[in-house]
Amino acid sequence: MNAVGKFITLEGGEGVGKSTQLSALATALRGRGIELVETREPGGSEGAEAIRQLLLTGSDERWSAEAEALLFAAARTDHVDKLIRPALDAGKWVLSDRFVDSSLAYQGGAGALGIEAVRAINGFGIGDDFPDRTLVLTLDEGGERARVRDTAGSDRIGGRSDDYHRKVDAAFHIIAAEEPERVRLIDASGTPGQVTQRLLDAIADLLP
């Protein structure tokens, strides 16, 4: 019987280099002989990808904060059922570009629903399937000036105001303070290689 795999998620606000680091971390883990499944949210399964289109297209007023949180939770439940849990049970590692902590920060923190309310909504769908480690890429105040955020090409959530995104960043810090063992803040400044090494250092205790 295979040992259960590890579930790692990469989080952060807009423009912190998350996509670059997800690819680099995946390469590094595979280089260590780890069988890895890469995925994303919203999405990752057929049903969740369909909900992704509902969530990320249209005007900012398309969904209320409550409806948006419920749609994310529905997509996530299907994602866990169809892809994440089966992969982990088969002994594979799963690396996801965003997961439940994005909902906690975006809809819970910045969307003013409250982190605990959004946690409860998601708990109904995913149960105990929280990540083994969540890595949140952050930039300090000086690094914020170098943040690359394409508001013109953003989806309906990424294109929201700077104030909204500051609230997202603040919420990620709150979540990390509440769950320091699971959630680690990672400095996203410096070269890509330096950031990747920080990510690896933050999961060193989980590596085979």
Side-chain angles (χ1 to χ4, degrees), residues 104 113-122:
L104 302 183
L113 295 181
I115 289 172
E116 291 311 312
V118 175
R119 193 190 303 274
I121 290 169
N122 281 271

Side-chain angles (χ1 to χ4, degrees), residues 133 135 184 186 197-206:
R133 188 67 41 82
L135 308 172
R184 307 290 172 85
I186 307 296
Q197 187 57 54
R198 291 176 197 138
L199 295 172
L200 287 168
D201 291 344
I203 59 170
D205 58 312
L206 302 178

Side-chain angles (χ1 to χ4, degrees), residues 68-120:
E68 189 172 277
L70 289 165
L71 283 167
F72 270 109
R76 184 165 296 121
T77 300
D78 193 69
H79 189 197
V80 168
D81 288 346
K82 303 292 175 55
L83 187 142
I84 294 172
R85 193 179 296 124
L88 294 173
D89 287 346
K92 300 174 184 177
W93 283 43
V94 176
L95 178 61
S96 183
D97 181 350
R98 300 198 181 282
F99 193 62
V100 69
D101 296 287
S102 276
S103 284
L104 302 183
Y106 281 77
Q107 286 75 49
L113 295 181
I115 289 172
E116 291 311 312
V118 175
R119 193 190 303 274

Side-chain angles (χ1 to χ4, degrees), residues 54-65:
L54 295 174
L55 278 164
L56 300 185
T57 59
S59 72
D60 191 35
E61 293 75 32
R62 184 177 190 182
W63 306 109
S64 68

